[in-house]
Amino acid sequence: MKEQLQEAVELFEEVIIYGTEHVVKNLNIPIWKEYSPEQIQVLKILSTYGNLSSGQLAEIQGVHKSAISTRLKKLVEKELVKSEKDPNDQRTNSISLTLKGNEILSASNEAVYESIESLFKDRIDEQELEQFIGTFRKLKDILVMKGM
């Protein structure tokens, strides 16, 4: 099982690398010229988790707080996120997604889905897709429970 798990992890990492490369190289939409993949990821994280502190964002993205500060400054300037004092802790700011940020994220997601759909069309059948979804739901549930 250890060898299979190692292969699964390696394949997952390769899919992430090649998938990211495909999206970055092949998506010719204005959003991806104006915003970096890391900025789009911040929007996606906020959409998934809700309001977070900059420290929490840095931890989730696996980067230093200074990198998040730079990203957030640009996203606040473009009105995609807002930063407000946390009502429970005045020492920290709570970062949230704005309506405009949500619209940008939706447009980005739609472009990514269309790109992936055209790439996989006629290459993956419905049964394979259902198996993939089932496996990834199980993995997500395990990871979400571990984080609790």
Side-chain angles (χ1 to χ4, degrees):
M1 174 143 169
K2 182 179 178 180
E3 288 176 9
Q4 285 179 310
L5 191 55
Q6 277 183 308
E7 182 180 7
V9 169
E10 289 170 6
L11 286 170
F12 178 77
E13 290 171 341
E14 290 173 7
V15 167
I16 294 296
I17 291 167
Y18 294 131
T20 302
E21 179 184 14
H22 170 79
V23 168
V24 170
K25 283 184 177 178
N26 295 306
L27 282 185
N28 193 16
I29 60 170
I31 291 168
W32 280 74
K33 290 181 178 18
E34 189 171 350
Y35 308 106
S36 70
E38 294 82 9
Q39 289 172 324
I40 296 293
Q41 186 184 37
V42 168
L43 301 180
K44 189 173 281 291
I45 290 168
L46 290 171
S47 176
T48 301
Y49 285 86
N51 297 4
L52 294 171
S53 69
S54 58
Q56 290 169 314
L57 276 168
E59 186 176 323
I60 292 167
Q61 280 198 313
V63 297
H64 194 271
K65 286 183 184 180
S66 62
I68 287 295
S69 295
T70 303
R71 287 177 200 156
L72 288 176
K73 183 179 178 186
K74 291 176 183 176
L75 292 171
V76 167
E77 287 171 1
K78 294 177 181 185
E79 299 178 345
L80 302 184
V81 302
K82 63 181 177 179
S83 176
E84 299 174 320
K85 289 286 182 198
D86 187 326
N88 299 323
D89 185 354
Q90 291 295 310
R91 296 171 296 162
T92 62
N93 286 344
S94 178
I95 314 300
S96 60
L97 193 59
T98 64
L99 180 60
K100 184 177 176 183
N102 204 25
E103 290 169 356
I104 294 295
L105 180 59
S106 293
S108 174
N109 286 343
E110 185 62 32
V112 170
Y113 298 146
E114 287 174 8
S115 176
I116 298 297
E117 181 182 40
S118 69
L119 181 65
F120 292 157
K121 188 177 183 179
D122 300 326
R123 293 182 182 173
I124 296 180
D125 64 36
E126 197 170 324
Q127 183 180 358
E128 289 172 314
L129 189 55
E130 287 297 326
Q131 186 177 9
F132 175 82
I133 291 169
T135 301
F136 269 76
R137 280 186 180 145
K138 187 173 185 176
L139 291 172
K140 178 184 170 188
D141 289 346
I142 291 168
L143 293 170
V144 168
M145 288 183 69
K146 178 147 177 73
M148 294 179 116

